Amino acid sequence: MALKAVHVSDVPNLYQVPEKASISLCSTRFSKGLELNRAASFRIPKFLVVGHRGHGMNVLQSSDSRMKAIKENSLLSFNSAAKFPIDFIEFDVQVTKDDYPVIFHDDVILSEENGVVFEKRITELCLAEFLCYGPQREAGKEGKCLLRKTKDGKIVRWDVETDDSLCTLEEAFQKVEPSLGFNIELKFDDHIVYQQDHLIHVLQVILQVVFQFAKDRPIIFSSFQPDAAQLVRKLQNNYPVFFLTNGGTEIYYDVRRNSLEEAIKVCLEGGLEGIVSEIKGVFRNPGAVPRIKESKLSLLTYGKLNNVPEAVYMQHLMGIDGVIVDLVQEISEAVGDMIKPVKADTAEESSGEGNGETEANSKLQFSQQELSFLLKLIPELIQH
């Protein structure tokens, strides 16, 4: 891959949106839907809960069996997540060398033959090669074993309680509960600087599948690759685009990835609708939240702390728009329990005026003074 910077401002709008493509993010899972069209600005009407890689990511070295329950980024994981009151699932999309968008998180696939471990890039496999790993849908057919490298560098068998086959983006659209929104992460290698033409080609391959199969399904695009995020906004205006960032918890060569302030700049320069940040980056810098809101951007978060109900509720109080979580059942139930809209008839009885849903009624309550204290305390706690 040649090393060449991308200049988004020079890219024309190359992709013509089909007439039948949905321009709204309405869903039966939302009381009012996510409002978006070519003229109006994007708006999230409620606190969103998003399933990370479906029902939750796999952490194979974890002692928590919930982190190894269902194969991540699989149709089974997506439909298992759909059984709970969540709004979206998040998953990672890459494009094979024969131009098929597939769903897989890691840059490489690890396997073993005759005792020798080998790896292959997802983008260097054709679709048939990609699908031959793991469980096979065809009866009697055995797939190649899947291995995975843990964060500490160990290579282990990708064993989960309930396994499932690898899948394509098209299959997800056709076989996952249609009311469930898709947060499609556009996945690129952190260590490659991509040519502009390559990025455009990959994004158009993905957009072709989205426009053909999305129908009325709510869609959000996101990417850690700032040029890809800005390009997908330039190539289409049907669906909102969020810039993914670690919020300064990790440092990259590309300075645009190194802080929430830089993320705001990327969004404003590219006309993006929001930011998805590692929650530690937000808790370390809570003052960024009002700056993000003043910039008329939405803010979602991801990270281990999002599996803690109290941390999720704290984000609701801070004005964050939603969370990407691994413990889908636990957090969706906790959010439903802690953040309950007051029904119209209840509001009428108490005030004599009916205006639909009122502000969220919550079990946990903090005064403004207590909230201010917590916002000052959290960055100190997160540092340690």
Side-chain angles (χ1 to χ4, degrees):
M1 191 70 66
L3 301 181
K4 179 182 175 183
V6 178
H7 301 286
V8 177
S9 59
D10 298 331
V11 179
N13 190 336
L14 298 177
Y15 202 94
Q16 296 300 316
V17 179
E19 288 297 321
K20 293 183 180 180
S22 169
I23 62 171
S24 68
L25 289 187
C26 294
S27 166
T28 56
R29 289 175 179 258
F30 305 111
S31 59
K32 299 177 182 177
L34 300 188
E35 296 179 4
L36 172 69
N37 58 48
R38 294 184 179 90
S41 60
F42 174 72
R43 186 177 70 85
I44 295 178
K46 57 167 285 190
F47 190 79
L48 301 182
V49 178
V50 182
H52 189 208
R53 305 181 199 173
H55 192 263
M57 69 180 290
N58 294 150
V59 183
L60 302 178
Q61 71 274 28
S62 175
S63 59
D64 188 339
S65 61
R66 295 174 297 181
M67 306 304 290
K68 297 173 284 187
I70 303 173
K71 173 67 73 61
E72 69 177 36
N73 278 337
S74 67
L75 296 177
L76 178 61
S77 182
F78 300 156
N79 282 316
S80 295
K83 296 175 183 177
F84 301 100
I86 65 171
D87 307 292
F88 282 79
I89 51 170
E90 178 272 352
F91 54 77
D92 313 272
V93 172
Q94 304 182 58
V95 173
T96 61
K97 71 177 182 181
D98 52 348
D99 286 346
Y100 285 92
V102 296
I103 300 176
F104 198 79
H105 174 268
D106 302 354
D107 296 320
V108 300
I109 206 161
L110 284 167
S111 190
E112 181 181 16
E113 279 186 12
N114 302 319
V116 178
V117 174
F118 65 90
E119 66 178 40
K120 293 185 178 180
R121 284 191 168 277
I122 303 302
T123 54
E124 294 174 356
L125 297 172
C126 67
L127 177 62
E129 290 174 305
F130 172 76
L131 293 176
C132 77
Y133 292 93
Q136 301 294 292
R137 292 196 178 92
E138 186 179 332
K141 188 175 181 181
E142 187 173 343
K144 296 179 181 179
C145 75
L146 268 178
L147 308 177
R148 198 175 206 184
K149 186 179 289 187
T150 64
K151 282 197 171 183
D152 57 6
K154 293 180 181 178
I155 295 177
V156 299
R157 291 188 66 88
W158 199 329
D159 290 330
V160 293
E161 184 178 330
T162 308
D163 213 340
D164 196 21
S165 306
L166 302 181
C167 68
T168 66
L169 179 60
E170 179 180 332
E171 287 179 306
F173 276 117
Q174 294 180 322
K175 298 178 181 180
V176 174
E177 162 59 43
S179 68
L180 188 61
F182 283 178
N183 171 194
I184 300 174
E185 180 183 337
L186 307 166
K187 187 78 176 177
F188 295 92
D189 193 316
D190 289 339
H191 303 100
I192 295 177
V193 180
Y194 293 91
Q195 285 188 342
Q196 175 176 299
D197 289 347
H198 176 77
L199 283 176
I200 292 173
H201 174 74
V202 169
L203 295 174
Q204 287 188 321
V205 168
I206 294 170
L207 287 172
Q208 286 174 353
V209 173
V210 172
F211 288 142
Q212 184 175 355
F213 297 103
K215 299 181 180 177
D216 294 328
R217 188 187 298 273
I219 304 289
I220 293 174
F221 289 113
S222 62
S223 185
F224 282 105
Q225 221 290 350
D227 297 316
Q230 292 182 339
L231 277 167
V232 78
R233 157 53 60 240
K234 205 165 182 65
L235 293 172
Q236 61 83 42
N237 61 1
N238 279 35
Y239 304 111
V241 181
F242 282 46
F243 179 50
L244 272 159
T245 178
N246 293 97
T249 58
E250 295 180 45
I251 300 302
Y252 296 87
Y253 177 77
D254 189 334
V255 297
R256 295 174 295 176
R257 298 187 58 182
N258 290 341
S259 70
L260 288 169
E261 286 71 22
E262 288 293 331
I264 293 172
K265 290 180 186 177
V266 169
C267 291
L268 295 181
E269 289 171 2
L272 311 188
E273 282 73 26
I275 294 169
V276 184
S277 175
E278 219 291 346
I279 182 52
K280 285 186 178 180
V282 177
F283 278 167
R284 288 177 180 178
N285 183 15
V289 176
R291 291 195 292 274
I292 290 168
K293 294 300 179 178
E294 288 164 7
S295 301
K296 298 183 178 180
L297 298 171
S298 297
L299 176 60
L300 305 177
T301 67
Y302 70 94
K304 290 181 181 178
L305 283 173
N306 282 357
N307 295 321
V308 180
E310 291 78 9
V312 170
Y313 183 69
M314 186 70 195
Q315 294 177 63
H316 168 65
L317 294 178
M318 292 170 68
I320 291 170
D321 297 296
V323 289
I324 299 173
V325 306
D326 293 302
L327 304 183
V328 168
Q329 178 177 358
E330 291 83 348
I331 299 302
S332 63
E333 290 176 353
V335 167
D337 196 35
M338 292 188 295
I339 308 170
K340 292 182 177 179
V342 178
K343 299 296 181 182
D345 55 355
T346 305
E348 286 177 16
E349 288 175 9
S350 59
S351 66
E353 296 179 3
N355 59 349
E357 294 180 348
T358 65
E359 292 183 4
N361 177 32
S362 308
K363 275 192 174 181
L364 300 178
Q365 297 290 341
F366 294 102
S367 69
Q368 194 60 43
Q369 185 177 8
E370 289 169 332
L371 180 59
S372 177
F373 172 76
L374 286 170
L375 289 175
K376 290 177 182 177
L377 178 63
I378 284 174
E380 296 298 321
L381 296 175
I382 295 296
Q383 297 294 338
H384 301 287

